[in-house]
Amino acid sequence: MDARIRRYSIAVFLELVFLPKPLLELFSKNAGARDSRATGLKHGLAKTRSRLWGLFRGRSIDPALFDELETALLTSDAGVGATGFLLAGLRERTGRIGTPQELKSELQAMLLEMLAPLEQALDFEGRKPRVIMIVGVNGSGKTTSIGKLARYLQNQGLSVLLAAGDTFRAAAREQLAAWGEKNGVAVIAQSGGAPGAVAFDAVAAARARGIDVVLADTAGRLPTQLHLMEEAKKIKRVIAKAEAGAPHEVWLVLDANVGQNALDQVKAFDEALGLTGLVLTKLDGTAKGGVICAIARSRNTRPLPLRFLGVGEGIDDLRPFAAREFVSALLD
């Protein structure tokens, strides 16, 4: 049955039998939001899904199938470690698998088990403001992600303040100011000031105004630019002076198109700053997305939460990572 018809049928049944109109409207709204998220994610993972989906149709389980699956996983940026782990697990289970569809179900189960530790709820309880420091290389989508994250947090009922800590590029300050205007939130900025000073002023302003969350932008930097990595450490220390225990989160923004280079970025930024989360951007249909598996497998003893996925250009196209939705978008 078509998903829209099925949802309509359930809604009609609930209206006639159980639910008052306000609850029925909420049910329909939530169902539509879930469909929208699933559709956006499937579009974002279209390249990888097209490689994987056809492998399990109209054929038998044989060595050629495993060879093609290995190629599909590797070319989807899943990495050697994660690919080897998944294939070894599937081969161990072939004795109880009779059809390619059952093999696909086993792969889904293994992927879900691998990725589930990356799905962790955010906690904004406790003393305000909560400070989130955002870092990443040039062009990863940091500033855009901050703008979209501000909208998401506002939709959760939280007040937000932005810190324009990328003081090297006037365009970055202007871009963040535009996001602030679009979201109706204040932006603390200085022309040519020290990035640590901007972050300090932003935290002080947020505390004085009773703001829930500060999103602190920083200049893009390569892990090999040691002087800039040292500067990022300094910004973190300055934020800690402005607010005890801050920054409460340090998130690395990753471009989904960079492939295995993402592992090097995670390692370098984590060693320098102690990452607490990741944001994966540009899952817009051109990226492969399998790098999430590579990250999960490389950190299987110390999972690093994947906080958000960017699946499009719209202001609402930054979504919390949900492992089951992600796996379904890959293989269903």
Side-chain angles (χ1 to χ4, degrees), residues 114-120 249-252 254 262-263 265-267 269-271 274-279 292 295-308 321:
M114 178 187 289
L115 299 180
L118 276 60
E119 180 184 339
Q120 298 182 25
E249 301 277 348
V250 181
W251 293 353
L252 172 63
L254 291 168
L263 295 177
Q265 292 184 32
V266 170
K267 183 175 184 296
F269 279 96
D270 189 36
E271 288 176 352
L275 297 176
T276 64
L278 302 172
V279 178
I292 295 176
I295 293 171
R297 184 59 188 163
S298 69
R299 310 256 319 194
N300 63 311
T301 59
R302 191 167 63 93
L304 184 58
L306 178 55
R307 297 302 191 184
F308 290 89
F321 173 69

Side-chain angles (χ1 to χ4, degrees), residues 20-283:
K21 188 173 181 180
L23 289 180
L24 177 64
E25 290 175 349
L26 179 61
F27 170 86
S28 300
K29 180 179 180 181
N30 289 342
R34 285 193 298 272
D35 281 357
S36 175
R37 287 198 303 269
T39 300
L41 193 52
K42 282 189 174 182
H43 173 71
L45 295 171
K47 181 175 287 189
T48 297
R49 189 173 71 255
S50 67
R51 289 192 178 103
L52 293 173
W53 194 75
L55 294 178
F56 304 98
R57 297 176 62 85
R59 63 186 303 172
S60 59
I61 299 177
D62 56 21
L65 173 56
F66 280 94
D67 288 344
E68 291 177 36
L69 180 57
E70 180 179 27
T71 299
L73 290 170
L74 288 173
T75 56
S76 299
D77 290 335
V80 174
T83 297
F85 174 79
L86 292 169
L87 290 174
L90 290 174
R91 287 191 172 104
E92 288 178 3
R93 305 177 191 198
T94 52
R96 63 174 186 266
I97 296 173
T99 68
Q101 287 300 309
E102 291 175 354
L103 184 69
K104 186 179 84 166
S105 296
E106 291 293 335
L107 177 59
Q108 286 177 308
M110 291 188 68
L111 283 170
L112 184 58
E113 184 178 359
M114 178 187 289
L115 299 180
L118 276 60
E119 180 184 339
Q120 298 182 25
L122 279 169
D123 180 14
F124 289 105
E125 297 298 323
R127 184 175 175 179
K128 298 187 295 186
R130 304 293 287 181
V131 183
I132 303 175
M133 180 177 173
I134 310 293
V135 299
V137 304
N138 295 308
S140 62
K142 280 188 301 84
T143 306
T144 298
S145 295
I146 288 172
K148 294 178 180 181
L149 181 58
R151 171 61 62 88
Y152 173 83
L153 294 173
Q154 286 179 303
N155 289 341
Q156 306 306 305
L158 298 169
S159 55
V160 181
L161 184 143
L162 308 182
D166 185 350
T167 59
F168 294 101
R169 294 189 306 124
R173 296 193 299 273
E174 293 168 2
Q175 185 182 7
L176 200 65
W179 279 110
E181 184 177 353
K182 186 178 296 185
N183 288 310
V185 301
V187 179
I188 303 299
Q190 295 179 10
S191 178
V198 174
F200 189 96
D201 289 349
V203 173
R207 186 168 53 246
R209 302 175 193 183
I211 298 292
D212 294 313
V213 182
V214 175
L215 300 177
D217 193 12
T218 59
R221 65 202 72 223
L222 295 172
T224 54
Q225 295 173 307
L226 299 182
H227 66 293
L228 292 180
M229 295 300 283
E230 288 300 317
E231 182 194 66
K233 295 179 186 178
K234 181 179 179 181
I235 295 170
K236 185 180 180 183
R237 292 195 297 269
V238 171
I239 292 174
K241 291 179 181 178
E243 179 72 22
H248 307 93
E249 301 277 348
V250 181
W251 293 353
L252 172 63
V253 178
L254 291 168
D255 181 341
N257 293 285
V258 300
Q260 295 300 291
N261 182 257
L263 295 177
D264 296 331
Q265 292 184 32
V266 170
K267 183 175 184 296
F269 279 96
D270 189 36
E271 288 176 352
L273 299 169
L275 297 176
T276 64
L278 302 172
V279 178
L280 190 67
T281 64
K282 305 183 184 180
L283 277 172

